[in-house]
Amino acid sequence: MEKRFVRYYVVITLLGLLAAVALWNYGSLALSAPSMAIGANPVVAVRGSIYDREGRLLAVDTDLYDLSGWRPSLDMRRIGLYSELMADALGGEPSLYLERLMEEDSDFFFLARRISGEAARTLGTALAERSLPGLRFDRVAGRVYPEKDLAAHLVGFVGTENKGLAGAEAAYEKELAADPQSARGGYAYGNSVFLTIDADLQFRLEELCGEAQSAHKAEAVVMVAMNARSGEVMAYVSLPDFNPNEFLAADRSTWLDRVAIYAYEPGSVFKVFTMGAVMTLGGIDEKSSFVCNGAYERVTNSGEQILIKCLGNHGVVNLSKILEYSCNSGAGQASDTVSALDFYAKLREFGFGERSGADLSGESPGLLRAPALWSARSKPTIAMGQEVLVTAIQMAAAATPLANGGILLRPRTLARIVDSGGAPVLNAEPIPVRRVLDERSAKAVLDAMEASVLDSGTGKRARIEDLRMSVKTGTAQMIDPLTRRYSDKDFIASTLALFPSEAPEYIVYAAIIKPMGESIYGGRIAAPLVRDAANIIADLYGTARSNAPSAIHDGRIVLPALGAAAIGERMPDLRGLPKRLLSPLLERRDIIVEIEGDGWVAEQYPLPGEPVAPGSTVRLILR
Amino acid sequence: MSDAFSMERPLGRSKGDGALLGALVLAAGLGLAHLYSASYGYALALGRGASYFALRQALWLLPAAAAFMVIAMVPLSFWRSLAGPVVLLSIALLVLPFIPGLGIVKNGASRWFGFGSLSFQPSELFKPALVLYLAHILAKKEERLNDIMRGVLPPLLLIGLGIAIVLFQNDFSTAIILAGIALCMFWIAKVPLIFFAAASSVGLPLLALTVLTSDYRLKRVVGFLAPRFDPADLSYQVNGSIKAIRAGGLWGRGIGQGSLKLRSIPLVLSDFIFSAWAEETGFIGVLVFILLWAFILYRAIRASFGAADSYRSYLAFGMAFYLGLQTLINILVAVGAVPATGMPLPLFSSGGSALLSVVIASGFIYAVSREQRADARHEGRTSND
C-alpha cells in the first residue's frame, strides 16, 4: 500500500462499510422468512380465565381494541368516508374523526382507545368492504376482574403484556398464558383455572370481616374458611384489599396477602397444637393434671428462674380446662413433659416453619426455630403461641388433623384446570400430607375445644345454640418493630373454630390485627366474628344443626350454589338470593322488576312456576 | 526514460481502460432494459406506448454518449483550464429554478427549470463540476493547504455557496451528497486534520444522524430543517419498497414479473428503481448489480492511483466517490435503513439530468484511465512501455 494513498483507503473502507450495511439490510429483508412479512397479523393471545369453584368469573381477558392509523397508507381521497364509517361504528361526530385523521403530527396515531370488540368488528368489516387501507386494530392486552376486590389477593393481577404478577394469575402463569405456537386461525388460548373458593361465601365473609375491621378499628382482618375433609380453601379473606382492575392506583400496603404472606405470633390459639402434640408424644393423657397458681414457674438446671404469668389462678387443670381457660401455666407445664426436640419435631409435622404448599404464588414459611437456638424460656413460650411465627393458612391447615383424627391435609386453592374447549387438564384431589396426631389425641383436643364455648370458657362468644363448635381463642402481643419488645397496645386477636364438633366439616380461622376499639381480646372480638362466619357457612351449605330448622332470617331458603338471577317465560324460585345477584334483572326492558328492602329474597310475586308475560311486574321483597 | 520524473514528464497518451468502459456500457444497458421492464405498466396506464419511459431515457443517452466521447477525447489539461468558469456557470445555473416562469416546482421542491416538457435539474450538473473544480484547485494549492485561511477557505466558500443554494431548493439529499463529495475531496488532498475536526463538529453530527439512524426523532429534525423533505407519501413508498424486496427473495419473480412496484411505489422509476430490480431479479440479481458497481469503482480507483498527477488522481477518485456514495445511499433508502431521500440510482433511474451527470463523471474517470503515469501502465498493457 502506497503511503500517499492512505487517505484514499480510509474513504474506500468507509464506502465498503456502507456497502456492507446496505447488503446486510437488503439480505435480511430478502432472505428472511415469509412469516416476518409486514402486514402479517400477529397471533392474538387470549389468556385463560379464572373462576370460582362454581364457575363464577373472577378474571377474564378484555375484548377491547385500540384503533390506530398509519397516515402514509391512508387513502386521502376518501378521507371523508373513513370518518363517516368511524362515526357509525364508534359513535360521535364524523368531524371529530376527520380532524384527527387530518392532523399531521406523526405518521402513526391513535384514533380510539379500548373500543369494544363488537365496534371493532363492525368497523373492520366496513373498512374491508370498501377497501380502505391504513387503519388497524390491536387487541388490548387487558384483564378485567368483574368481581373487583373479591378475593383480590387470591386471584391476583397481571402486569404489562398480561403477565401474572400476583395471586393465581402468577401461580398459574404457565397454564393461563396462551402459547402462540398453539394458535389456530390467529388466536391462541390459555387454560382456565377454577379456584376452590366459593365466590358467594367469599363475598359474605368479606362483608363480615369488613364490618369487624371498622367496628374494632383494626389495621387488618384475615379469615380462612376451609373444608376440613378436603383441605380446600372456601374463602380467603385478607383485608384491607384492593381492586385488581386498578391495582396500581391502590396503596401498596393493601397488596399484602395477609393470609399466606403475613407471619405473626398466634398466641393462645396455638395451645391446641401444643396439647395435641404433647398428648400424641405421650407426655400427658386426658386425665393428666397440673396446678396453676397464677403463673408458670420453673428453675432451670443452671439456676435461672423462669416466670410466665397466667391470666388467672386456675387451680387444678387438665387438658380440657387448659384449653377452656387458656391456661398459660398448664400449657407450659404440659410442654415440660416432652423433650424440646420431640416437641419441635411434632410442631414441624403440623406444618409450622414451612410453606403449606397451597398453590399460591407467594407464601411465607413462618418461623419455628430449631431447639439448638432455643433459650430456657423457649419451650413453654412456644407452647403458649409466642416465639413462633405462623400464617393464617398454616393455622387453618394445622387444624385439619384435629378434624379428621390426626392426618394433616395440604391446604388447596386450586380446584381444577380446563383447556379452552372445556376439557379437563387437571382435577385437584385432597392431599394427605402425614399423620400428625393419633386419633385419641385429636379427638381429645377437639372435645376440649368444645369446652371453651361453655359460659366459663374463653370462646363462649363463639357459641351457636344449635351448632356444636370446637373453638380456641387467642390474644397475642405484637412485637414493636422499634423497641424489639412486646408492645402494650398492638395485639392480634384470633379464633379458630371447627364445626360441627361431632364430625367437623369446616374450619374457620380469623385474626384481627391491631384492633384499636373497645376490646383487644380474641375471646371478645374474634370469637363473635368466627361465630357469624360459621352461621353463614352452616346456612349456605345446609350443615345439620342440632335443633333444626334454623330461623335466623325469615323464609330463607338455602341454595347450594347461587347464580345471578334470571327470569325466563316462567317465574323461577328466587327466594334466598342475595340482592347482589338480582342486579341483572334491573336491566330488563320487557318486564318491570320491583325490589323492596335489603338482604335476601324472602317473598316473590309471581310465585315460582307462574308464567311471566312481557310488560308484567315482578315484585321481590327482601329481608 | 526515467521513472523518477514521471510526474513531470509530458503525458503518455494511451488507450483508456477497456474493461471500465465495457462495464459502464453494460450497466447503462442493464439500466435501460430494466427501466423498460419497470415502466411499461406505468406507461400504459398513462395512455402512452409501453416503451414511453424507456425511449425517453434512450433519447437522453444520445447527448450523454456524445458528452462522454468529448470528455474522453479532449486532454484533461484542457478541462482543467475551464474548471473555474465551469463551476461558476453551474452555480449560476442553480439559481434558475427560482426564476418565475423558468422554475418548476415538483413535490414542494424547486429543483428543476425548463420549458414545456423539457426540464433540467442543475444540481445534478453541479456534482461533476464540483469534483472538477476541487480536483483542480486542491492540486494547484497542494503545497499551501496547511494554511487553511488561504488554501482551503476560498474553495470552501465557493462550493459552500453552491450547496446553500441547493438547500434553498429544498433539496436536502442532494446537498448531503454534495457536502459528502466535497469533504472526500478535501480529505484525499491531505487538508490538515484540524479542518475536519472543525467541519465535523458542525456538519458531521447532522450527516451521521441522517445516514446512520432512521429514528422518527431524526425524521423530525430533518422535517424541521426541510419541511417538505419527507412528503407524506415517502414512508409509504419505503414500505412498498420493502414489500417488493421481500417478494423478490432469493431468485426474484422474473424480469417483467414484478407486480408490487407500480401499485405501491409511485417513484419506482426514479428513487426506488432498486426495489423493482430486487423484486424481479431477487438476491442473485442484486448480487450481480453490486458486483458490477464494485468492478466499476475498482477500475476507477485503479485509474486514480495510477493517474499522472494529483489533479487527475483527485478527479478520478472524486467522480468514483460520487457514483459510489449515491448508489449506496439509494440502496440504503430502498431497504429502509436511512430516511427516505430523493436520490436517483446511477445509470438505472429515469431522468435526463441525472443520467447526464453520471455519464460526465464516468467520462472523466475514463479520461484519467487514459492519462496514466508511465510507471503505472498496468500489466497486460505493458506493450505501451
Side-chain angles (χ1 to χ4, degrees):
Chain A
M1 189 187 294
E2 286 184 65
K3 208 178 163 199
R4 63 196 174 104
F5 291 129
V6 166
R7 286 201 178 190
Y8 288 63
Y9 285 118
V10 171
V11 175
I12 293 164
T13 308
L14 282 177
L15 279 181
L17 284 176
L18 219 52
V21 170
L23 257 181
W24 175 262
N25 274 286
Y26 166 74
S28 60
L29 285 180
L31 305 179
S32 62
S35 63
M36 295 293 290
I38 282 179
N41 283 324
V43 169
V44 174
V46 183
R47 190 176 171 85
S49 302
I50 299 176
Y51 301 92
D52 85 338
R53 62 179 309 112
E54 304 290 347
R56 281 166 287 214
L57 203 50
L58 300 176
V60 63
D61 260 15
T62 50
D63 187 26
L64 295 179
Y65 295 79
D66 280 345
L67 173 62
S68 59
W70 179 244
R71 188 158 282 115
S73 299
L74 292 175
D75 185 346
M76 296 310 280
R77 285 165 303 182
R78 294 191 286 165
I79 204 74
L81 190 52
Y82 284 98
S83 52
E84 279 162 30
L85 293 178
M86 270 183 268
D88 285 349
L90 311 179
E93 285 299 309
S95 58
L96 276 174
Y97 298 104
L98 192 61
E99 204 173 298
R100 190 74 195 90
L101 284 164
M102 301 298 283
E103 271 175 31
E104 288 208 3
D105 47 353
S106 77
D107 285 345
F108 178 84
F109 58 99
F110 279 108
L111 277 159
R113 305 298 284 261
R114 301 178 80 83
I115 61 177
S116 74
E118 201 187 338
R121 283 181 281 273
T122 306
L123 180 55
T125 311
L127 290 168
E129 277 168 2
R130 292 162 181 82
S131 328
L132 286 172
L135 299 190
R136 71 179 264 174
F137 300 91
D138 290 294
R139 196 166 191 276
V140 177
R143 200 72 167 155
V144 166
Y145 301 91
E147 298 294 340
K148 302 192 176 69
D149 52 6
L150 189 82
H153 299 91
L154 185 60
V155 174
F157 48 79
V158 296
T160 52
E161 294 177 356
N162 254 12
K163 198 168 158 48
L165 294 182
E169 294 276 29
Y172 305 109
E173 172 64 25
K174 276 191 187 151
E175 296 290 343
L176 292 165
D179 176 10
Q181 302 293 322
S182 71
R184 296 177 304 267
Y187 282 81
Y189 296 92
N191 293 333
S192 286
V193 166
F194 287 73
L195 301 176
T196 56
I197 60 165
D198 176 338
D200 198 28
L201 176 67
Q202 177 80 24
F203 176 79
R204 297 184 195 201
L205 296 189
E206 279 186 13
E207 207 172 43
L208 194 65
C209 290
E211 285 163 13
Q213 187 189 6
S214 50
H216 304 301
K217 302 182 176 64
E219 180 183 288
V221 176
V222 298
M223 182 182 281
V224 176
M226 187 180 279
N227 182 322
R229 291 172 182 175
S230 67
E232 287 175 320
V233 173
M234 300 151 61
Y236 190 98
V237 182
S238 171
L239 298 179
D241 58 11
F242 59 95
N243 179 353
N245 292 309
E246 297 152 4
F247 70 92
L248 283 174
D251 187 332
R252 294 281 164 114
S253 66
T254 63
W255 295 4
L256 176 61
D257 178 352
R258 288 179 167 83
V259 173
I261 293 178
Y262 181 70
Y264 56 94
E265 291 174 288
S268 300
V269 173
F270 201 75
K271 284 173 188 155
V272 302
F273 308 118
T274 298
M275 299 314 286
V278 169
M279 190 169 167
T280 293
L281 290 170
I284 60 167
D285 62 21
E286 296 92 329
K287 297 184 185 67
S288 306
S289 60
F290 306 96
V291 175
C292 166
N293 52 15
Y296 170 87
E297 278 180 278
R298 189 160 68 87
V299 180
T300 65
N301 295 339
S302 59
E304 188 187 345
Q305 174 93 24
I306 295 169
L307 181 85
I308 301 173
K309 277 194 185 164
C310 205
L311 294 169
N313 196 333
H314 297 119
V316 177
V317 290
N318 58 12
L319 167 66
S320 180
K321 294 289 181 199
I322 288 172
L323 293 182
E324 184 185 338
Y325 303 144
S326 197
C327 174
N328 286 345
S329 173
Q333 292 179 60
S335 75
D336 284 343
T337 64
V338 296
S339 78
L341 205 57
D342 287 345
F343 185 52
Y344 166 78
K346 189 53 80 180
L347 293 180
R348 288 295 300 238
E349 284 180 17
F350 273 108
F352 295 113
E354 67 179 32
R355 291 177 180 85
S356 70
D359 329 304
L360 300 164
S361 61
E363 204 186 333
S364 163
L367 180 68
L368 177 60
R369 284 183 297 180
L373 301 169
W374 289 5
S375 71
R377 296 176 66 97
S378 291
K379 194 166 63 167
T381 307
I382 291 170
M384 295 161 209
Q386 305 279 170
E387 251 193 78
V388 55
L389 298 180
V390 303
T391 63
I393 191 90
Q394 279 178 337
M395 290 295 279
T400 54
L402 302 175
N404 65 23
I407 311 283
L408 177 74
L409 297 177
R410 178 176 296 173
R412 291 186 296 119
T413 55
L414 173 70
R416 60 189 183 277
I417 296 174
V418 301
D419 70 15
S420 59
V425 173
L426 179 122
N427 273 313
E429 301 284 341
I431 306 166
V433 181
R434 63 179 81 88
R435 174 167 287 281
V436 180
L437 302 177
D438 58 45
E439 265 185 63
R440 187 177 144 201
S441 307
K443 182 83 174 69
V445 171
L446 192 66
D447 289 346
M449 286 170 75
E450 204 181 351
S452 82
V453 296
L454 298 175
D455 278 343
S456 54
T458 53
K460 64 183 177 196
R461 286 182 178 80
R463 188 165 66 209
I464 297 172
E465 293 303 340
D466 56 1
L467 189 61
R468 288 176 59 191
M469 306 249 298
S470 292
V471 172
K472 182 72 193 82
T473 64
T475 308
Q477 281 179 292
M478 294 177 76
I479 301 261
D480 186 323
L482 293 177
T483 61
R484 306 294 308 151
R485 304 174 66 151
Y486 283 112
S487 158
D488 53 10
K489 60 179 203 304
D490 291 342
F491 296 88
I492 291 180
S494 61
T495 295
L496 172 70
L498 295 87
F499 61 92
S501 295
E502 50 271 43
E505 293 169 31
Y506 306 108
I507 297 167
V508 175
Y509 175 76
I512 300 172
I513 297 159
K514 290 192 191 174
M516 295 291 171
E518 56 189 280
S519 171
I520 48 97
Y521 290 106
R524 289 197 70 89
I525 61 175
L529 177 61
V530 167
R531 176 197 65 208
D532 292 346
N535 254 327
I536 289 172
I537 292 170
D539 287 347
L540 205 51
Y541 299 106
T543 308
R545 292 172 185 261
S546 318
N547 309 317
S550 163
I552 291 171
H553 293 282
D554 291 345
R556 164 112 65 99
I557 289 171
V558 174
L559 300 175
L562 302 173
I567 299 177
E569 286 181 351
R570 286 183 180 280
M571 188 68 190
D573 189 350
L574 298 177
R575 288 173 296 184
L577 277 184
K579 192 174 189 179
R580 180 172 61 94
L581 296 179
L582 299 176
S583 56
L585 298 180
L586 297 174
E587 289 167 22
R588 292 282 290 264
R589 302 252 166 91
D590 51 347
I591 53 172
I592 299 155
V593 178
E594 290 175 359
I595 297 176
E596 295 170 23
D598 263 317
W600 286 265
V601 178
E603 293 173 57
Q604 64 171 62
Y605 305 96
L607 295 171
E610 289 184 357
V612 180
S616 62
T617 302
V618 171
R619 199 159 153 249
L620 303 172
I621 297 162
L622 278 60
R623 275 199 277 273
Chain B
M1 203 181 285
S2 164
D3 281 352
F5 297 102
S6 62
M7 292 293 281
E8 277 132 53
R9 67 185 256 285
L11 296 164
R13 300 196 57 84
S14 71
K15 288 172 71 179
D17 186 346
L20 173 67
L21 187 61
L24 284 168
V25 171
L26 181 61
L30 274 182
L32 189 63
H34 181 245
L35 188 67
Y36 173 74
S37 158
S39 71
Y40 70 88
Y42 188 37
L44 290 173
L46 288 180
R48 316 264 186 179
S51 51
Y52 172 73
F53 287 101
L55 268 181
R56 219 173 57 160
Q57 190 73 355
L59 281 177
W60 273 106
L61 266 177
L62 294 177
F68 184 91
M69 276 191 279
V70 170
I71 290 166
M73 292 302 176
V74 176
L76 283 169
S77 51
F78 173 73
W79 297 118
R80 186 171 187 176
S81 64
L82 288 183
V86 162
V87 80
L88 289 174
L89 179 69
S90 65
I91 289 175
L93 286 178
L94 288 176
V95 186
L96 290 184
F98 296 108
I99 294 172
L102 212 53
I104 300 166
V105 178
K106 269 194 225 172
N107 298 343
S110 32
R111 303 174 189 178
W112 294 267
F113 71 89
F115 318 89
S117 65
L118 197 70
S119 64
F120 197 79
Q121 187 180 349
S123 56
E124 283 294 344
L125 217 54
F126 187 52
K127 293 171 186 169
L130 173 96
V131 176
L132 175 66
Y133 168 71
L134 284 179
H136 153 67
I137 200 83
L138 292 173
K140 184 177 149 193
K141 299 187 173 190
E142 203 167 11
E143 307 302 325
R144 284 171 290 157
L145 289 177
N146 284 329
D147 183 353
I148 290 190
M149 292 306 286
R150 289 174 163 209
V152 182
L153 210 55
L156 183 66
L157 287 177
L158 189 63
I159 60 156
L161 172 68
I163 292 173
I165 297 173
V166 173
L167 267 178
F168 265 103
Q169 295 175 351
N170 258 335
D171 194 350
F172 188 77
S173 49
T174 303
I176 289 278
I177 284 272
L178 289 168
I181 295 169
L183 220 58
C184 169
M185 299 293 288
F186 284 122
W187 172 259
I188 58 171
K190 298 195 181 68
V191 168
L193 292 174
I194 182 88
F195 165 79
F196 294 97
S200 57
S201 68
V202 183
L204 257 188
L206 197 74
L207 187 76
L209 275 177
T210 314
V211 174
L212 297 178
T213 80
S214 57
D215 202 316
Y216 77 94
R217 278 184 229 96
L218 169 76
K219 286 189 182 174
R220 290 204 171 159
V221 170
V222 173
F224 171 75
L225 291 172
R228 294 192 194 85
F229 160 64
D230 189 351
D233 61 350
L234 268 183
S235 319
Y236 170 60
Q237 303 209 34
V238 172
N239 278 344
S241 163
I242 287 172
K243 266 186 206 165
I245 287 169
R246 284 212 160 100
L250 182 62
W251 297 103
R253 295 176 155 221
I255 305 285
Q257 300 300 307
S259 61
L260 289 168
K261 59 197 180 197
L262 185 61
R263 192 152 45 85
S264 49
I265 325 175
L267 284 179
V268 68
L269 298 186
S270 50
D271 299 350
F272 287 94
I273 192 110
F274 176 82
S275 332
W277 176 261
E279 186 188 9
E280 296 191 350
T281 66
F283 187 76
I284 303 299
V286 169
L287 214 57
V288 168
F289 174 89
I290 297 272
L291 287 177
L292 183 56
W293 270 108
F295 181 75
I296 292 172
L297 294 183
Y298 162 69
R299 297 306 286 200
I301 290 163
R302 205 172 94 126
S304 163
F305 282 11
D309 58 12
S310 297
Y311 157 64
R312 288 168 175 80
S313 179
Y314 298 164
L315 187 63
F317 198 83
M319 295 297 184
F321 183 77
Y322 152 41
L323 298 183
L325 185 66
Q326 187 155 317
T327 303
L328 284 173
I329 290 184
N330 181 282
I331 296 174
L332 285 169
V333 169
V335 300
V338 302
T341 59
M343 195 165 293
L345 187 61
L347 295 181
F348 277 71
S349 293
S350 81
S353 332
L355 179 70
L356 205 56
S357 170
V358 168
V359 167
I360 289 170
S362 311
F364 277 111
I365 294 170
Y366 181 75
V368 173
S369 80
R370 293 186 60 202
E371 302 185 9
Q372 299 278 291
R373 289 197 314 275
D375 68 320
R377 306 212 181 260
H378 302 287
E379 358 26 87
R381 284 190 285 125
T382 44
S383 56
N384 283 351
D385 277 357

